[in-house]
Amino acid sequence: MLRDRVKSGLVMGVSALLLAGCGSSELTAESAPSQSAARPTATRSATAGVAGAVTKLQLISQDSCQTKPAEQVYPLCDRYMAELRSAVATVQSGADGLANSQAIRTTSAQTLDNLAAFDRDGCGVGPYSAGPQAAPTCAADLTRIREGVSTLLQLTAT
């Protein structure tokens, strides 16, 4: 019984504090961000996201899937393709803030299409792998993807 009274008193006290805080103009004026303050943060985070994706492209360009003979490495590039797909999509979506934005969007779209072709052609490892007979097609897909990465790096270089 005493425990029920304590719980009831505690709930009522917390409720009263919450209600008092909700009506305070000082709290709402300080805690509610203005629209103008939200925009620079969103722009900064988008710019940071594109910069991070460009850095990721630079790192990806050193991967063996980018540097070794395409016909030898294509079956081992599933992770490379996933990382690349993410970075290219981020660069494409943030291209408006970059110089060469139209060329970046076009190259990104082509590279994403080539990544999709790599998947469609069964070039990775796994249950949908086309096997060794697909080597010429897969090497050609990887070569086009590499060219897209190189072009994106050139277009985004500062």
Side-chain angles (χ1 to χ4, degrees), residues 23-91:
S24 170
S25 61
E26 285 181 30
L27 279 176
T28 54
E30 289 180 5
S31 64
S34 69
Q35 288 289 7
S36 62
R39 283 191 201 129
T41 303
T43 303
R44 262 182 282 157
S45 67
T47 303
V50 172
V54 170
T55 300
K56 193 174 196 178
L57 283 176
Q58 291 166 344
L59 294 171
I60 288 170
S61 73
Q62 299 169 26
D63 189 280
S64 62
C65 291
Q66 184 75 19
T67 61
K68 298 221 174 163
E71 56 280 341
Q72 293 175 4
V73 296
Y74 79 85
L76 307 173
C77 295
D78 289 339
R79 182 178 177 144
Y80 164 87
M81 296 298 171
E83 295 290 333
L84 186 56
R85 194 173 283 110
S86 170
V88 171
T90 301
V91 169

Short mmCIF file of all heavy atoms in Angstrom, two decimals, residues 23-91:
data_model
loop_
_atom_site.label_atom_id
_atom_site.label_comp_id
_atom_site.label_asym_id
_atom_site.label_seq_id
_atom_site.Cartn_x
_atom_site.Cartn_y
_atom_site.Cartn_z
N GLY A 23 5.23 24.21 -21.06
CA GLY A 23 4.64 25.53 -21.22
C GLY A 23 5.66 26.65 -21.11
O GLY A 23 5.34 27.80 -21.36
N SER A 24 6.86 26.37 -20.74
CA SER A 24 7.87 27.40 -20.53
C SER A 24 8.37 27.94 -21.85
O SER A 24 8.86 27.20 -22.69
CB SER A 24 9.04 26.81 -19.73
OG SER A 24 10.11 27.72 -19.72
N SER A 25 8.26 29.26 -22.04
CA SER A 25 8.74 29.86 -23.28
C SER A 25 10.26 29.82 -23.34
O SER A 25 10.83 29.78 -24.41
CB SER A 25 8.23 31.30 -23.41
OG SER A 25 8.72 32.07 -22.34
N GLU A 26 10.93 29.84 -22.18
CA GLU A 26 12.38 29.77 -22.18
C GLU A 26 12.87 28.44 -22.73
O GLU A 26 13.80 28.39 -23.51
CB GLU A 26 12.92 29.96 -20.76
CG GLU A 26 12.86 31.38 -20.27
CD GLU A 26 13.43 31.50 -18.88
OE1 GLU A 26 14.34 30.71 -18.53
OE2 GLU A 26 12.99 32.38 -18.14
N LEU A 27 12.24 27.36 -22.33
CA LEU A 27 12.65 26.05 -22.82
C LEU A 27 12.41 25.90 -24.31
O LEU A 27 13.27 25.44 -25.04
CB LEU A 27 11.90 24.94 -22.08
CG LEU A 27 12.42 24.55 -20.72
CD1 LEU A 27 11.51 23.50 -20.10
CD2 LEU A 27 13.83 24.01 -20.82
N THR A 28 11.23 26.27 -24.77
CA THR A 28 10.92 26.07 -26.18
C THR A 28 11.72 27.02 -27.06
O THR A 28 12.09 26.67 -28.16
CB THR A 28 9.42 26.24 -26.46
OG1 THR A 28 9.00 27.50 -25.95
CG2 THR A 28 8.62 25.13 -25.83
N ALA A 29 12.04 28.20 -26.59
CA ALA A 29 12.80 29.15 -27.40
C ALA A 29 14.24 28.68 -27.56
O ALA A 29 14.85 28.86 -28.60
CB ALA A 29 12.77 30.54 -26.77
N GLU A 30 14.79 28.07 -26.52
CA GLU A 30 16.19 27.65 -26.60
C GLU A 30 16.35 26.28 -27.24
O GLU A 30 17.35 26.02 -27.88
CB GLU A 30 16.79 27.62 -25.20
CG GLU A 30 17.01 28.99 -24.63
CD GLU A 30 17.61 28.91 -23.24
OE1 GLU A 30 17.94 27.81 -22.77
OE2 GLU A 30 17.73 29.96 -22.62
N SER A 31 15.39 25.41 -27.08
CA SER A 31 15.59 24.04 -27.55
C SER A 31 15.12 23.81 -28.97
O SER A 31 15.54 22.85 -29.59
CB SER A 31 14.89 23.05 -26.60
OG SER A 31 13.51 23.28 -26.63
N ALA A 32 14.27 24.64 -29.50
CA ALA A 32 13.77 24.43 -30.85
C ALA A 32 14.68 25.11 -31.85
O ALA A 32 14.84 26.32 -31.83
CB ALA A 32 12.35 24.98 -30.98
N PRO A 33 15.34 24.35 -32.74
CA PRO A 33 16.22 24.96 -33.72
C PRO A 33 15.40 25.69 -34.78
O PRO A 33 14.31 25.28 -35.13
CB PRO A 33 16.97 23.78 -34.34
CG PRO A 33 16.08 22.61 -34.12
CD PRO A 33 15.32 22.90 -32.86
N SER A 34 15.95 26.77 -35.26
CA SER A 34 15.27 27.52 -36.31
C SER A 34 15.49 26.85 -37.65
O SER A 34 16.41 26.06 -37.82
CB SER A 34 15.79 28.96 -36.35
OG SER A 34 17.12 28.95 -36.81
N GLN A 35 14.67 27.16 -38.62
CA GLN A 35 14.80 26.59 -39.96
C GLN A 35 16.14 26.97 -40.57
O GLN A 35 16.77 26.17 -41.22
CB GLN A 35 13.65 27.07 -40.86
CG GLN A 35 12.32 26.46 -40.53
CD GLN A 35 12.26 24.99 -40.92
OE1 GLN A 35 13.24 24.37 -41.31
NE2 GLN A 35 11.10 24.41 -40.79
N SER A 36 16.57 28.20 -40.38
CA SER A 36 17.82 28.64 -40.98
C SER A 36 19.01 27.92 -40.37
O SER A 36 20.01 27.70 -41.04
CB SER A 36 17.99 30.15 -40.86
OG SER A 36 18.03 30.52 -39.49
N ALA A 37 18.92 27.52 -39.11
CA ALA A 37 20.02 26.79 -38.48
C ALA A 37 20.08 25.36 -38.98
O ALA A 37 21.13 24.76 -39.04
CB ALA A 37 19.87 26.81 -36.97
N ALA A 38 18.93 24.79 -39.38
CA ALA A 38 18.92 23.40 -39.82
C ALA A 38 19.52 23.24 -41.21
O ALA A 38 20.16 22.25 -41.50
CB ALA A 38 17.49 22.87 -39.81
N ARG A 39 19.36 24.21 -42.06
CA ARG A 39 19.85 24.09 -43.43
C ARG A 39 21.36 23.99 -43.53
O ARG A 39 21.86 23.12 -44.21
CB ARG A 39 19.32 25.23 -44.28
CG ARG A 39 17.89 25.02 -44.66
CD ARG A 39 17.43 26.01 -45.70
NE ARG A 39 16.00 26.08 -45.65
CZ ARG A 39 15.30 27.18 -45.56
NH1 ARG A 39 15.91 28.34 -45.57
NH2 ARG A 39 14.01 27.14 -45.48
N PRO A 40 22.14 24.86 -42.86
CA PRO A 40 23.59 24.71 -42.98
C PRO A 40 24.08 23.36 -42.49
O PRO A 40 25.00 22.81 -43.05
CB PRO A 40 24.14 25.86 -42.12
CG PRO A 40 23.06 26.88 -42.11
CD PRO A 40 21.78 26.08 -42.16
N THR A 41 23.46 22.84 -41.43
CA THR A 41 23.86 21.53 -40.93
C THR A 41 23.61 20.46 -41.97
O THR A 41 24.45 19.61 -42.21
CB THR A 41 23.10 21.21 -39.62
OG1 THR A 41 23.36 22.25 -38.69
CG2 THR A 41 23.52 19.88 -39.06
N ALA A 42 22.45 20.50 -42.62
CA ALA A 42 22.15 19.51 -43.65
C ALA A 42 23.11 19.65 -44.81
O ALA A 42 23.59 18.67 -45.36
CB ALA A 42 20.70 19.68 -44.12
N THR A 43 23.41 20.88 -45.21
CA THR A 43 24.34 21.10 -46.31
C THR A 43 25.73 20.62 -45.94
O THR A 43 26.39 19.96 -46.73
CB THR A 43 24.38 22.60 -46.68
OG1 THR A 43 23.06 23.01 -47.01
CG2 THR A 43 25.30 22.86 -47.84
N ARG A 44 26.15 20.94 -44.71
CA ARG A 44 27.47 20.49 -44.26
C ARG A 44 27.56 18.97 -44.22
O ARG A 44 28.56 18.40 -44.65
CB ARG A 44 27.78 21.05 -42.88
CG ARG A 44 28.65 22.29 -42.94
CD ARG A 44 28.96 22.77 -41.58
NE ARG A 44 27.74 23.47 -41.17
CZ ARG A 44 27.36 23.70 -39.95
NH1 ARG A 44 28.09 23.33 -38.96
NH2 ARG A 44 26.25 24.30 -39.67
N SER A 45 26.51 18.30 -43.75
CA SER A 45 26.57 16.84 -43.68
C SER A 45 26.54 16.23 -45.07
O SER A 45 27.20 15.23 -45.31
CB SER A 45 25.45 16.29 -42.80
OG SER A 45 24.20 16.51 -43.40
N ALA A 46 25.81 16.83 -46.01
CA ALA A 46 25.81 16.33 -47.39
C ALA A 46 27.18 16.52 -48.01
O ALA A 46 27.70 15.62 -48.68
CB ALA A 46 24.74 17.04 -48.21
N THR A 47 27.80 17.67 -47.79
CA THR A 47 29.13 17.94 -48.32
C THR A 47 30.14 16.98 -47.70
O THR A 47 31.00 16.44 -48.41
CB THR A 47 29.54 19.40 -48.03
OG1 THR A 47 28.56 20.26 -48.60
CG2 THR A 47 30.89 19.73 -48.60
N ALA A 48 30.03 16.75 -46.41
CA ALA A 48 30.93 15.81 -45.74
C ALA A 48 30.72 14.40 -46.27
O ALA A 48 31.68 13.65 -46.45
CB ALA A 48 30.71 15.84 -44.23
N GLY A 49 29.47 14.04 -46.56
CA GLY A 49 29.19 12.72 -47.11
C GLY A 49 29.82 12.51 -48.47
O GLY A 49 30.40 11.47 -48.76
N VAL A 50 29.76 13.55 -49.32
CA VAL A 50 30.37 13.47 -50.65
C VAL A 50 31.88 13.41 -50.52
O VAL A 50 32.54 12.61 -51.18
CB VAL A 50 29.93 14.65 -51.54
CG1 VAL A 50 30.71 14.68 -52.84
CG2 VAL A 50 28.44 14.55 -51.84
N ALA A 51 32.44 14.24 -49.64
CA ALA A 51 33.89 14.23 -49.43
C ALA A 51 34.35 12.85 -48.93
O ALA A 51 35.37 12.33 -49.39
CB ALA A 51 34.30 15.32 -48.44
N GLY A 52 33.58 12.27 -48.03
CA GLY A 52 33.91 10.92 -47.55
C GLY A 52 33.81 9.88 -48.65
O GLY A 52 34.64 8.97 -48.73
N ALA A 53 32.81 10.02 -49.52
CA ALA A 53 32.66 9.08 -50.63
C ALA A 53 33.80 9.22 -51.63
O ALA A 53 34.28 8.22 -52.17
CB ALA A 53 31.31 9.29 -51.32
N VAL A 54 34.24 10.45 -51.86
CA VAL A 54 35.39 10.66 -52.77
C VAL A 54 36.64 10.03 -52.16
O VAL A 54 37.41 9.37 -52.86
CB VAL A 54 35.59 12.16 -53.06
CG1 VAL A 54 36.90 12.42 -53.78
CG2 VAL A 54 34.42 12.70 -53.89
N THR A 55 36.83 10.21 -50.86
CA THR A 55 37.96 9.57 -50.19
C THR A 55 37.86 8.05 -50.30
O THR A 55 38.85 7.36 -50.55
CB THR A 55 38.01 9.98 -48.70
OG1 THR A 55 38.17 11.39 -48.63
CG2 THR A 55 39.14 9.29 -47.96
N LYS A 56 36.65 7.53 -50.16
CA LYS A 56 36.43 6.08 -50.30
C LYS A 56 36.78 5.63 -51.72
O LYS A 56 37.41 4.58 -51.91
CB LYS A 56 34.97 5.76 -49.97
CG LYS A 56 34.68 4.31 -49.77
CD LYS A 56 33.24 4.17 -49.31
CE LYS A 56 32.99 2.82 -48.72
NZ LYS A 56 31.62 2.69 -48.22
N LEU A 57 36.41 6.42 -52.73
CA LEU A 57 36.77 6.09 -54.11
C LEU A 57 38.29 6.06 -54.28
O LEU A 57 38.82 5.19 -54.98
CB LEU A 57 36.18 7.10 -55.09
CG LEU A 57 34.70 6.99 -55.40
CD1 LEU A 57 34.26 8.12 -56.31
CD2 LEU A 57 34.38 5.64 -56.05
N GLN A 58 38.98 7.00 -53.65
CA GLN A 58 40.44 7.01 -53.73
C GLN A 58 41.04 5.74 -53.13
O GLN A 58 41.98 5.17 -53.68
CB GLN A 58 41.00 8.25 -53.02
CG GLN A 58 40.68 9.54 -53.75
CD GLN A 58 40.93 10.78 -52.90
OE1 GLN A 58 41.08 10.71 -51.67
NE2 GLN A 58 40.97 11.93 -53.55
N LEU A 59 40.48 5.31 -52.00
CA LEU A 59 40.95 4.08 -51.37
C LEU A 59 40.60 2.86 -52.23
O LEU A 59 41.42 1.95 -52.39
CB LEU A 59 40.37 3.94 -49.97
CG LEU A 59 40.83 4.99 -48.96
CD1 LEU A 59 40.03 4.89 -47.67
CD2 LEU A 59 42.31 4.83 -48.68
N ILE A 60 39.39 2.85 -52.76
CA ILE A 60 38.95 1.73 -53.60
C ILE A 60 39.84 1.61 -54.83
O ILE A 60 40.10 0.51 -55.32
CB ILE A 60 37.46 1.92 -53.99
CG1 ILE A 60 36.57 1.66 -52.78
CG2 ILE A 60 37.07 1.02 -55.16
CD1 ILE A 60 35.11 2.04 -52.99
N SER A 61 40.33 2.74 -55.33
CA SER A 61 41.15 2.71 -56.54
C SER A 61 42.47 1.97 -56.33
O SER A 61 43.16 1.63 -57.28
CB SER A 61 41.42 4.13 -57.05
OG SER A 61 42.32 4.80 -56.21
N GLN A 62 42.81 1.70 -55.08
CA GLN A 62 44.03 0.96 -54.76
C GLN A 62 43.77 -0.53 -54.55
O GLN A 62 44.70 -1.31 -54.37
CB GLN A 62 44.68 1.56 -53.52
CG GLN A 62 45.07 3.01 -53.71
CD GLN A 62 45.46 3.67 -52.41
OE1 GLN A 62 45.91 3.03 -51.47
NE2 GLN A 62 45.30 4.98 -52.34
N ASP A 63 42.52 -0.93 -54.59
CA ASP A 63 42.13 -2.33 -54.39
C ASP A 63 42.63 -3.18 -55.56
O ASP A 63 42.72 -2.71 -56.69
CB ASP A 63 40.60 -2.41 -54.30
CG ASP A 63 40.13 -3.78 -53.87
OD1 ASP A 63 40.07 -4.69 -54.71
OD2 ASP A 63 39.81 -3.94 -52.67
N SER A 64 42.91 -4.42 -55.29
CA SER A 64 43.38 -5.33 -56.35
C SER A 64 42.34 -5.49 -57.45
O SER A 64 42.69 -5.74 -58.61
CB SER A 64 43.77 -6.69 -55.77
OG SER A 64 42.65 -7.30 -55.18
N CYS A 65 41.08 -5.32 -57.14
CA CYS A 65 40.04 -5.40 -58.17
C CYS A 65 40.12 -4.22 -59.14
O CYS A 65 39.59 -4.28 -60.24
CB CYS A 65 38.65 -5.45 -57.53
SG CYS A 65 38.35 -7.00 -56.67
N GLN A 66 40.80 -3.18 -58.73
CA GLN A 66 41.00 -2.01 -59.59
C GLN A 66 42.37 -2.08 -60.28
O GLN A 66 42.53 -1.54 -61.36
CB GLN A 66 40.90 -0.73 -58.76
CG GLN A 66 41.00 0.57 -59.53
CD GLN A 66 39.75 0.91 -60.32
OE1 GLN A 66 38.68 0.40 -60.06
NE2 GLN A 66 39.89 1.77 -61.30
N THR A 67 43.33 -2.78 -59.69
CA THR A 67 44.70 -2.71 -60.18
C THR A 67 45.22 -3.98 -60.86
O THR A 67 46.11 -3.89 -61.69
CB THR A 67 45.66 -2.37 -59.03
OG1 THR A 67 45.60 -3.39 -58.04
CG2 THR A 67 45.32 -1.03 -58.40
N LYS A 68 44.70 -5.12 -60.52
CA LYS A 68 45.20 -6.39 -61.08
C LYS A 68 44.43 -6.73 -62.35
O LYS A 68 43.37 -6.19 -62.62
CB LYS A 68 45.08 -7.50 -60.05
CG LYS A 68 45.91 -7.21 -58.82
CD LYS A 68 46.59 -8.41 -58.33
CE LYS A 68 47.51 -7.98 -57.19
NZ LYS A 68 47.94 -9.03 -56.38
N PRO A 69 44.94 -7.68 -63.14
CA PRO A 69 44.25 -8.06 -64.38
C PRO A 69 42.79 -8.47 -64.12
O PRO A 69 42.50 -9.32 -63.28
CB PRO A 69 45.07 -9.24 -64.90
CG PRO A 69 46.44 -9.03 -64.31
CD PRO A 69 46.19 -8.41 -62.96
N ALA A 70 41.89 -7.83 -64.86
CA ALA A 70 40.45 -8.02 -64.66
C ALA A 70 40.03 -9.47 -64.77
O ALA A 70 39.22 -9.96 -63.99
CB ALA A 70 39.67 -7.16 -65.65
N GLU A 71 40.58 -10.19 -65.73
CA GLU A 71 40.19 -11.59 -65.95
C GLU A 71 40.62 -12.51 -64.80
O GLU A 71 40.07 -13.58 -64.63
CB GLU A 71 40.70 -12.12 -67.29
CG GLU A 71 42.17 -12.01 -67.54
CD GLU A 71 42.62 -10.61 -67.98
OE1 GLU A 71 41.80 -9.80 -68.42
OE2 GLU A 71 43.82 -10.34 -67.86
N GLN A 72 41.58 -12.07 -64.00
CA GLN A 72 42.02 -12.86 -62.86
C GLN A 72 41.25 -12.55 -61.58
O GLN A 72 41.01 -13.44 -60.78
CB GLN A 72 43.52 -12.63 -62.60
CG GLN A 72 44.41 -13.16 -63.69
CD GLN A 72 45.87 -12.81 -63.44
OE1 GLN A 72 46.23 -12.23 -62.42
NE2 GLN A 72 46.72 -13.17 -64.39
N VAL A 73 40.89 -11.30 -61.38
CA VAL A 73 40.33 -10.91 -60.08
C VAL A 73 38.81 -10.78 -60.04
O VAL A 73 38.24 -10.73 -58.95
CB VAL A 73 40.96 -9.59 -59.57
CG1 VAL A 73 42.44 -9.76 -59.30
CG2 VAL A 73 40.69 -8.45 -60.51
N TYR A 74 38.15 -10.71 -61.20
CA TYR A 74 36.71 -10.42 -61.18
C TYR A 74 35.89 -11.30 -60.25
O TYR A 74 34.96 -10.82 -59.61
CB TYR A 74 36.12 -10.39 -62.60
CG TYR A 74 35.85 -11.76 -63.17
CD1 TYR A 74 34.65 -12.42 -62.89
CD2 TYR A 74 36.78 -12.39 -63.97
CE1 TYR A 74 34.40 -13.68 -63.39
CE2 TYR A 74 36.54 -13.65 -64.48
CZ TYR A 74 35.35 -14.29 -64.19
OH TYR A 74 35.11 -15.53 -64.68
N PRO A 75 36.19 -12.61 -60.11
CA PRO A 75 35.33 -13.41 -59.23
C PRO A 75 35.47 -13.06 -57.74
O PRO A 75 34.63 -13.42 -56.93
CB PRO A 75 35.80 -14.86 -59.45
CG PRO A 75 36.65 -14.84 -60.66
CD PRO A 75 37.18 -13.45 -60.78
N LEU A 76 36.52 -12.33 -57.39
CA LEU A 76 36.80 -12.04 -55.99
C LEU A 76 36.44 -10.61 -55.61
O LEU A 76 36.90 -10.10 -54.59
CB LEU A 76 38.30 -12.26 -55.73
CG LEU A 76 38.84 -13.62 -56.16
CD1 LEU A 76 40.35 -13.67 -56.01
CD2 LEU A 76 38.17 -14.73 -55.37
N CYS A 77 35.63 -9.95 -56.40
CA CYS A 77 35.39 -8.51 -56.22
C CYS A 77 34.01 -8.16 -55.66
O CYS A 77 33.58 -7.01 -55.79
CB CYS A 77 35.61 -7.80 -57.56
SG CYS A 77 37.32 -7.87 -58.13
N ASP A 78 33.33 -9.09 -55.02
CA ASP A 78 32.00 -8.80 -54.49
C ASP A 78 32.03 -7.67 -53.47
O ASP A 78 31.20 -6.75 -53.52
CB ASP A 78 31.37 -10.04 -53.87
CG ASP A 78 30.95 -11.07 -54.91
OD1 ASP A 78 30.78 -10.69 -56.09
OD2 ASP A 78 30.81 -12.25 -54.55
N ARG A 79 32.96 -7.71 -52.54
CA ARG A 79 33.03 -6.66 -51.52
C ARG A 79 33.43 -5.32 -52.16
O ARG A 79 32.89 -4.27 -51.83
CB ARG A 79 34.03 -7.03 -50.43
CG ARG A 79 34.10 -5.98 -49.35
CD ARG A 79 35.03 -6.36 -48.26
NE ARG A 79 35.09 -5.26 -47.30
CZ ARG A 79 35.20 -5.41 -46.03
NH1 ARG A 79 35.24 -6.61 -45.51
NH2 ARG A 79 35.27 -4.37 -45.24
N TYR A 80 34.37 -5.36 -53.07
CA TYR A 80 34.78 -4.16 -53.82
C TYR A 80 33.57 -3.55 -54.50
O TYR A 80 33.37 -2.33 -54.45
CB TYR A 80 35.84 -4.59 -54.84
CG TYR A 80 36.13 -3.61 -55.95
CD1 TYR A 80 37.07 -2.59 -55.79
CD2 TYR A 80 35.53 -3.75 -57.19
CE1 TYR A 80 37.36 -1.71 -56.82
CE2 TYR A 80 35.82 -2.88 -58.23
CZ TYR A 80 36.73 -1.87 -58.04
OH TYR A 80 37.02 -1.02 -59.08
N MET A 81 32.75 -4.37 -55.13
CA MET A 81 31.56 -3.87 -55.83
C MET A 81 30.57 -3.23 -54.86
O MET A 81 30.00 -2.18 -55.16
CB MET A 81 30.87 -5.00 -56.60
CG MET A 81 31.70 -5.59 -57.71
SD MET A 81 32.11 -4.38 -58.98
CE MET A 81 33.29 -5.30 -59.93
N ALA A 82 30.38 -3.84 -53.71
CA ALA A 82 29.44 -3.28 -52.73
C ALA A 82 29.93 -1.93 -52.21
O ALA A 82 29.15 -0.97 -52.12
CB ALA A 82 29.26 -4.26 -51.57
N GLU A 83 31.21 -1.84 -51.89
CA GLU A 83 31.79 -0.58 -51.41
C GLU A 83 31.72 0.48 -52.50
O GLU A 83 31.38 1.63 -52.25
CB GLU A 83 33.24 -0.79 -50.97
CG GLU A 83 33.42 -1.70 -49.78
CD GLU A 83 32.93 -1.09 -48.49
OE1 GLU A 83 32.93 0.15 -48.37
OE2 GLU A 83 32.54 -1.85 -47.60
N LEU A 84 32.03 0.07 -53.70
CA LEU A 84 32.01 0.99 -54.83
C LEU A 84 30.60 1.50 -55.11
O LEU A 84 30.39 2.70 -55.34
CB LEU A 84 32.59 0.29 -56.07
CG LEU A 84 32.79 1.13 -57.30
CD1 LEU A 84 33.67 2.34 -57.01
CD2 LEU A 84 33.39 0.29 -58.41
N ARG A 85 29.64 0.60 -55.08
CA ARG A 85 28.24 0.98 -55.33
C ARG A 85 27.80 2.05 -54.34
O ARG A 85 27.17 3.04 -54.72
CB ARG A 85 27.37 -0.28 -55.20
CG ARG A 85 25.98 -0.15 -55.74
CD ARG A 85 25.26 -1.50 -55.72
NE ARG A 85 25.71 -2.36 -56.81
CZ ARG A 85 26.45 -3.46 -56.66
NH1 ARG A 85 26.80 -3.86 -55.47
NH2 ARG A 85 26.81 -4.17 -57.71
N SER A 86 28.14 1.89 -53.09
CA SER A 86 27.78 2.86 -52.06
C SER A 86 28.45 4.21 -52.30
O SER A 86 27.80 5.25 -52.25
CB SER A 86 28.19 2.29 -50.69
OG SER A 86 28.07 3.27 -49.70
N ALA A 87 29.74 4.20 -52.57
CA ALA A 87 30.48 5.45 -52.77
C ALA A 87 30.00 6.19 -54.01
O ALA A 87 29.79 7.41 -53.99
CB ALA A 87 31.98 5.17 -52.87
N VAL A 88 29.79 5.47 -55.10
CA VAL A 88 29.35 6.10 -56.35
C VAL A 88 27.95 6.71 -56.18
O VAL A 88 27.68 7.82 -56.63
CB VAL A 88 29.40 5.11 -57.53
CG1 VAL A 88 28.75 5.68 -58.77
CG2 VAL A 88 30.84 4.72 -57.83
N ALA A 89 27.07 5.99 -55.52
CA ALA A 89 25.71 6.51 -55.29
C ALA A 89 25.75 7.79 -54.45
O ALA A 89 25.00 8.74 -54.71
CB ALA A 89 24.84 5.45 -54.63
N THR A 90 26.62 7.83 -53.45
CA THR A 90 26.74 9.02 -52.62
C THR A 90 27.29 10.20 -53.42
O THR A 90 26.80 11.32 -53.31
CB THR A 90 27.64 8.74 -51.39
OG1 THR A 90 27.06 7.68 -50.65
CG2 THR A 90 27.79 9.97 -50.51
N VAL A 91 28.31 9.95 -54.23
CA VAL A 91 28.86 11.01 -55.07
C VAL A 91 27.80 11.51 -56.05
O VAL A 91 27.63 12.72 -56.25
CB VAL A 91 30.13 10.52 -55.82
CG1 VAL A 91 30.56 11.52 -56.89
CG2 VAL A 91 31.27 10.29 -54.84
#
